[in-house]
Amino acid sequence: MCGIVAGVSQGNVVPFLLEGLKRLEYRGYDSCGVAVLQRGEARRVRTLSRVCSLEADALAADLDGVTGIAHTRWATHGTPVINNAHPIFSGEQIAVVHNGIIENHEQLREQLRLKGYEFQSQTDTEVIAHLIRDHYQGDILTAVRDAAGLLQGAYAIAVMCRDEPKRIVGARQGSPLVVGIGDDGAFLASDTTAIADCAERFVYLEDNDVVDIHGTDIAIQDREGRTVSRREVKSRGHAQDTGLGAYRHYMQKEIFEQPVAVARTLATMSGDESLQAAMPSPEELADVSNLVMLGCGTSYYAALTACSWFEHFANVTARAEIASEFRYRDYVSQGNTLVIAVSQSGETADTLAALRYVQSMGEARTLAICNVAASAMVRQSRWAFITEAGVEVGVASTKAFTTQLVALFALAIAIGRQRGSVSQSEAATWMRQLAALPDAMRNVLAREPEIMAWAEALHQTEHALFLGRGAHFPIALEGALKLKEISYIHAEGYPAGELKHGPLALVTESMPVIVTAPNDALLQKLKSNMEEVRSRGGRLFVLADSDTGLMAGPGMRVIHMPAWRGPLSPVLHAVALQLLAYHVACLRGTDIDKPRNLAKSVTVE
Ligand code: F6R
């Protein structure tokens, strides 16, 4: 998704802006640009290529100034062409970068046209730029505040004015924006990562805040112009290892980082009954009898997997909801409910909106399970559990998913303990099982050569079916999602028992069927489902726990996983399916870390 970096620095700001954009590249973009105030002019370069090309262009254009704004754009309004790339100018005077969507842009565009403004782009951002110019009477802060009052939708903006050097004004509503202060200057970004190296102190803006960076002075106001104070937080060691090392892709690196990420996440859980400082106390969990989990994409599948854990261990009713649908439904509270927002980024617009929606319906017990401590969802929730996956650069979620699963599993045990459905010794056993997970994951990763052989056999297919049952059905869904998003093969996940109710009609030799087969209570049923495929000429690719007794044969390949890990076995099968998707995509030569049309953090609806 789009990314913003802006700042007023002691020297030339351009290197800081470009470094920030490089750090935002992982979010996905189709154009980028940078503008500075230089010798009384606003100057910009923009490109449809990568940030490294922008860097070369900026050098060639001799771009140099202490005040600047920069952007990576992921097209929403208007195709990815140069005129639509940010920074967007209004005349020579106002320059704007913008994340989000302005819902009333058509109406505003019409009003501005009648006033004589001419539009050079198809973007909603140009409406903002002209609107600010229209309100400008010598003070850019007032102009931004007045213009922001007319905007509907979600946005974060950074604005500079040719006539006011050393000044950047930012505003946000619904999209994240953070101010960073350091020895090199004051900066503004949509993501802390972008400015982690040039700032030590951070201030996270709230909705309706307008920030004025004027030289080294920083002031925050609300829309009415009243000064507001926001808590300042010190850097939390953001400069994590984001290099590629010996790996070909970030996705591959992040798949292989999972044992460490899971171990780190487990290490933050002190003892077997409490999880982290910002978690509900055992007493606060004791009367929880309903769980509603909210998420999108892979995070939704983590929630769906966890439903069976919550039902089994904690004896509570648990439902996972797709946040983008849930937010528009009529919510009926069951009472004694804990709402859990599951998200890697903590910024996904739909999950955040769904969380706010349940809060508005009276649910006060909210918990965010997030990988980003300073994210909007963490701030919006009463409690938070921070997964320690580390920065996830690849667009496809991998280590974020498995650390979410681990956090949800531990929470199910903790609630079960409080409700008396899990004894102390059972809880201790399960925590030991969790502690053994990193080694078991390494064991799965060691099967990479066998998985690569499957990838060879699968990479030319255009369709694939993923089957699972019980807690492995969401893993089948996740396997299909991973495959489709990075290899562009059409893939569907199905509960194996549903095969006869429709999808069996699709099964032919050209429809490979990938099965996740744990040695659980549903194994015999699953075997029957596999026979249904085999007897129709289907090709089976089975990930089977080593104690299932499943063997390769005509029409059926088998990779033996470690022995069944009980309810934790979905975590291991997920790792194998990630590797499969990765190697298929490698053979198809796709842009694995930045799949077409996708973005890392989906901050618009
Ligand atoms: C798929 C993937 C997405 C995200 C989804 C939610 O690999 O990464 O489906 O899981 O966009 O994002 P977060 O977890 O940041 O809320």
Side-chain angles (χ1 to χ4, degrees), residues 417-432:
R417 204 45 215 107
Q418 284 316 306
R419 289 174 53 82
S421 51
V422 171
S423 71
Q424 186 153 12
S425 74
E426 283 167 340
T429 305
W430 283 113
M431 292 314 283
R432 275 198 300 279

Side-chain angles (χ1 to χ4, degrees), residues 296-299 342-345 348 395-397 404 481-482 485 602:
C296 295
T298 292
S299 294
V342 185
S343 173
Q344 188 286 126
S345 60
T348 302
V395 162
S397 176
Q404 285 166 350
L481 176 61
K482 284 286 95 88
E485 71 177 322
V602 185

Side-chain angles (χ1 to χ4, degrees), residues 570-584:
V571 186
L572 302 181
H573 285 239
V575 172
L577 292 177
Q578 292 166 353
L579 267 182
L580 178 63
Y582 172 74
H583 283 294
V584 170

